[in-house]
């Protein structure tokens, strides 16, 4: 899986994928609707199979032809498949852990299998992007989304260890994401700054993550700068997550879960 640049998650793959658009089981909601009544109830939604493994998740990622229909190019020779992750990047304060986990596609959040691929938006090639699918045991996916929703709305600023030493400073801003057809969705932006080697730079991130039963689908985009940006420059530089790729990936995942 692609290593994200910038001290933010250069040691981790930035992740990824989905803000659903076709039926992905469970009830649909508006960007501001309440989450499912309980994680257990959410897991029992009409999401199809609940035992997807790494190979299943890899098969559910967009192929080159499918990505091309929504203006994306798949860069990975083949999807990367991972088992459970023993370690996680630690955020301070701890209530912000879920934000950092989501930026890595669910790493550190207790998934049982994960598949990912690097992609490029043909109309916006300046940002690095990833698609990630993570399967969770039991009600783990619903619990992760609940903790992420709480973290995105209450975290504000946080920090974590940089790959090359020091701390990476980060600030998270929630964005409205409609979980069309999915059980739920969370979107957010993150701006980070760090000074590896004495040179201060920024990374701008956009993340959309949706849940279909026991699987989360993440789309991430990040763009690095070797300098600090003004508020206006930061707003213009912030990468966007295209709704079409989220919808297409969600539809593909739904089909795989139904088989």
């Amino acid at each position: 899986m692609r290593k994200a640049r910038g001290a933010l998650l250069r040691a981790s793959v930035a992740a990824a994928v989905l803000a659903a658009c076709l039926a992905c089981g469970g009830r649909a909601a508006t960007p501001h609707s309440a989450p499912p009544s309980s994680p257990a109830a959410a897991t029992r939604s009409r999401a199809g199979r609940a035992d997807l493994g790494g190979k299943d998740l890899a098969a559910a990622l967009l192929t080159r032809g499918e990505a091309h229909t929504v203006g994306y190019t798949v860069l990975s020779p083949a999807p990367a498949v991972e088992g459970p992750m023993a370690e996680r990047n630690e955020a301070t304060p701890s209530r912000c852990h879920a934000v950092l986990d989501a930026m890595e596609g669910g790493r550190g959040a207790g998934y049982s299998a994960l598949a990912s691929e690097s992609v490029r938006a043909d109309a916006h090639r300046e940002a690095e992007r990833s698609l990630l699918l993570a399967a969770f045991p039991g009600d783990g996916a619903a619990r992760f989304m609940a903790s992420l929703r709480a973290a995105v709305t209450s975290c504000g600023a946080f920090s974590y260890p940089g790959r090359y030493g020091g701390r990476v400073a980060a600030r998270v801003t929630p964005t409205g994401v409609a979980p069309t057809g999915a059980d739920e969705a969370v979107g957010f932006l993150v701006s980070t700054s760090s000074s590896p080697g004495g040179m201060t730079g920024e990374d701008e991130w956009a993340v959309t993550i949706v849940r279909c039963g026991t699987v989360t689908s993440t789309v991430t985009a990040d763009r690095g700068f070797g300098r600090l940006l003004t508020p206006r420059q930061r707003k213009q530089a912030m990468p966007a997550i295209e709704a079409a790729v989220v919808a297409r990936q969600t539809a593909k995942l739904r089909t795989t879960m139904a088989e």
Side-chain angles (χ1 to χ4, degrees), residues 203-241:
D203 272 67
E204 308 302 327
W205 291 71
V207 179
T208 294
I209 179 169
V210 305
R211 181 181 64 81
C212 293
T214 60
V215 179
T216 60
S217 177
T218 309
V219 180
T220 66
D222 72 279
R223 186 178 180 187
F225 298 86
R227 66 186 189 283
L228 293 178
L229 305 180
T230 66
R232 181 176 181 180
Q233 290 174 328
R234 188 172 298 114
K235 183 177 181 179
Q236 295 174 336
M238 188 65 73
I241 301 295

Side-chain angles (χ1 to χ4, degrees), residues 28-35 149 175-180 185-187:
T30 65
H32 303 291
S33 65
R149 181 177 291 101
T175 57
V177 177
T180 309
V186 176

Side-chain angles (χ1 to χ4, degrees), residues 124-233:
H124 304 282
R125 301 190 177 193
E126 66 280 359
E128 296 182 9
R129 300 167 189 266
S130 293
L131 303 180
L132 304 99
L133 300 177
F136 291 77
D139 63 354
R143 288 188 288 106
F144 170 50
M145 293 292 284
S147 64
L148 176 60
R149 181 177 291 101
V152 166
T153 56
S154 67
C155 186
F158 65 99
S159 67
Y160 54 90
R163 180 180 183 183
Y164 302 106
R167 303 287 296 181
V168 177
R171 177 168 293 278
V172 60
T173 303
T175 57
V177 177
T180 309
D183 292 314
E184 53 185 324
V186 176
F188 59 92
L189 305 174
V190 176
S191 292
T192 72
S193 62
S194 60
S195 302
M199 183 177 68
T200 301
E202 284 193 24
D203 272 67
E204 308 302 327
W205 291 71
V207 179
T208 294
I209 179 169
V210 305
R211 181 181 64 81
C212 293
T214 60
V215 179
T216 60
S217 177
T218 309
V219 180
T220 66
D222 72 279
R223 186 178 180 187
F225 298 86
R227 66 186 189 283
L228 293 178
L229 305 180
T230 66
R232 181 176 181 180
Q233 290 174 328

Side-chain angles (χ1 to χ4, degrees), residues 77-149:
V81 178
E82 304 172 30
M85 183 177 179
E87 299 179 357
R88 74 188 302 188
N89 284 323
E90 297 294 328
T92 303
S94 59
R95 69 173 184 275
C96 302
H97 280 325
V99 174
L100 199 54
D101 291 341
M103 293 171 70
E104 298 184 11
R107 289 181 177 81
Y111 68 85
S112 56
L114 182 147
S116 62
E117 62 186 8
S118 296
V119 295
R120 179 184 66 210
D122 296 336
H124 304 282
R125 301 190 177 193
E126 66 280 359
E128 296 182 9
R129 300 167 189 266
S130 293
L131 303 180
L132 304 99
L133 300 177
F136 291 77
D139 63 354
R143 288 188 288 106
F144 170 50
M145 293 292 284
S147 64
L148 176 60
R149 181 177 291 101

Side-chain angles (χ1 to χ4, degrees), residues 34-104:
S37 57
S38 71
T43 302
R44 292 193 297 268
S45 67
R46 294 177 295 106
R49 289 178 56 190
D51 61 345
L52 295 186
K55 291 184 178 180
D56 299 310
L57 296 176
L61 285 168
L62 297 183
T63 64
R64 284 175 169 75
E66 292 164 343
H68 181 70
T69 64
V70 289
Y72 266 60
T73 297
V74 174
L75 303 178
S76 301
V81 178
E82 304 172 30
M85 183 177 179
E87 299 179 357
R88 74 188 302 188
N89 284 323
E90 297 294 328
T92 303
S94 59
R95 69 173 184 275
C96 302
H97 280 325
V99 174
L100 199 54
D101 291 341
M103 293 171 70
E104 298 184 11

